[in-house]
Amino acid sequence: MAAVRFSAAGEVLYAYLSGEVDHDAAQSLRIQLDDALVSRTPQTLVLDFSGVGFMDSSGIGLILGRQRSARTLGTTLQIQHAPAQLRRVLQLAGIRCTDAPKTEE
């Protein structure tokens, strides 16, 4: 089961994800993230994965879909604090973590 907690700082909206991001959890997270994007219209949405222990391909789809939604609304999407095993999966999918060491890019 995954959860998301939001925190705003100026024009930046932080979404702190936790738990396991699988097919079932991705649907719930998608609804919550889309609602926050539309209702709050931040300049930047930061998805923080520090609390995520597992993510399957549904998580990649979740990120890519939010990236499209954010772009449509004029919002920049950033990914940060992904654990090492998730960073590797993100890297293979062409998704860059903004806090990744330069050697991983």
Side-chain angles (χ1 to χ4, degrees):
M1 180 84 174
V4 61
R5 179 180 54 84
F6 294 99
S7 175
E11 292 294 318
V12 179
L13 179 62
Y14 293 89
Y16 297 94
L17 290 88
S18 61
E20 297 185 357
V21 181
D22 58 13
H23 176 72
D24 293 330
Q27 290 178 310
S28 173
L29 292 172
R30 181 176 12 262
I31 292 167
Q32 294 176 72
L33 290 168
D34 285 349
D35 182 55
L37 264 173
V38 171
S39 65
R40 301 181 189 203
T41 58
Q43 184 176 354
T44 304
L45 173 62
V46 178
L47 300 182
D48 185 301
F49 281 82
S50 58
V52 174
F54 170 81
M55 184 175 78
D56 65 13
S57 61
S58 299
I60 299 295
L62 175 74
I63 294 168
L64 294 176
R66 300 317 46 85
Q67 191 172 45
R68 280 190 299 275
S69 298
R71 192 176 309 128
T72 299
L73 296 169
T75 299
T76 301
L77 180 72
Q78 295 180 357
I79 309 298
Q80 69 180 21
H81 301 142
Q85 70 274 20
L86 293 185
R87 271 201 315 268
R88 180 68 181 138
V89 172
L90 294 172
Q91 183 182 21
L92 291 171
I95 299 170
R96 184 175 150 323
C97 286
T98 57
D99 62 344
K102 294 293 182 196
T103 57
E104 290 186 17
E105 295 181 3

